[in-house]
Amino acid sequence: MQHKGVRRDFGLGPVHDVSLSDARCLAIELRKMVRNGLDPVKERGLRRANVPTFEMVTRRCYDAMKGGWKDRRNASWLTSFENHVFDEIGAQRIDAIDSVQVLKVLEPIWLEKPDTARRVLQRIGAVLDFAHIKGIIPSEVSLRSVTRGLPRQTRQVTHRAAMPYAQVPGFLQKLAQQPATVGRDALQLTILTAVRSNETRFATWDEFDLEAATWAIPAARMKMKQPHVVPLAAPALTLLKRLRKEHEALHGPDLMGRMLFTHSGKKPISDTTMLKAIRDMNIDEVTVHGFRSSFADWAAECTRFPKEIAEKALAHRVSNAVEAAYRRTDFFDRRRVLMSKWGEYVNTRATR
């Protein structure tokens, strides 16, 4: 190639990194520079001098994407780079990052922290895609071959410890006999309604209609970001009516916006408050979340309700996209019967 009568020779990169189609695209780009009167050597030099580092692009990507994330992902996304990525490749130019560089990042944590390693791989790919779509790097970077240079992960799924459903009635009766605490009451409601602990912790009185025997949890507080109406069985209503009477005695009849389970009145109880109620009964192997599994096992083995009714009671997402598109019902009436039977099973004596 010639520029103003002077021959210019260019290297487009190693043959194992630059495909034939990529080389053709680069050659076309160089010819365009010459036709526009530009010196390709100087232009490419300026471009290289202005290429940001991987860390710089990562932080730009984070700022651009974080507004659409939920829960704690904001903090964990960037922290994973700070803990596992930036020390290795953060200072390198973004256009120098390839699968070999990413492999070096993953090797130390691939077997030791398999879940973290997979997330880091996915997030690095997101940064490189961001760099390409923003025009920072000219072409996409494929990371599909990275895992071929790593050993196979032996994935072990650890389920949260659950109490066998046959033991739940006795447990609730003993729990009701424990000293009255916020953690005890919150745990009772969580078990009786089969909700997640966070849904109980942040509950406010305006979500409950005790006349209609319903608890309407807004989408913003649900894991799947879909509103969820819980039918309240007799034991749950008994507990809630007692709590409401106690709260009205303390705060007056207007409880709108007030939390059910709080020490300060401003913040919800912590994750460990309900767990402490279990540990205080000298039970070490059971978790709060595990009671959802107890409910699911009971529904499967002791009732004739279809699985999708129990799944809807647990506010689980329908995994099959086609099925989800056609199954819009929330089975509320059938869920009311199911929760009523669960209340009968665990015994109304479990609350006082």
Side-chain angles (χ1 to χ4, degrees), residues 9-28:
D9 294 319
F10 295 94
L12 302 179
V15 67
H16 59 273
D17 288 340
V18 181
S19 67
L20 181 59
S21 60
D22 288 341
R24 286 171 176 161
C25 290
L26 290 170
I28 292 171

Side-chain angles (χ1 to χ4, degrees), residues 194-227:
V195 299
R196 299 177 179 88
S197 60
N198 277 354
E199 293 154 13
T200 299
R201 290 174 52 231
F202 288 86
T204 57
W205 279 112
D206 48 293
E207 296 172 0
F208 293 87
D209 185 337
L210 300 188
E211 293 297 324
T214 58
W215 175 10
I217 308 174
R221 294 209 301 102
M222 294 297 298
K223 181 178 180 181
M224 300 305 170
K225 299 306 176 188
Q226 295 291 328

Side-chain angles (χ1 to χ4, degrees), residues 44-59:
R44 295 182 77 191
L46 287 172
R47 290 187 183 184
R48 287 175 177 172
N50 293 326
V51 173
T53 65
F54 179 82
E55 180 173 351
M56 292 168 63
V57 176
T58 298
R59 294 187 183 278

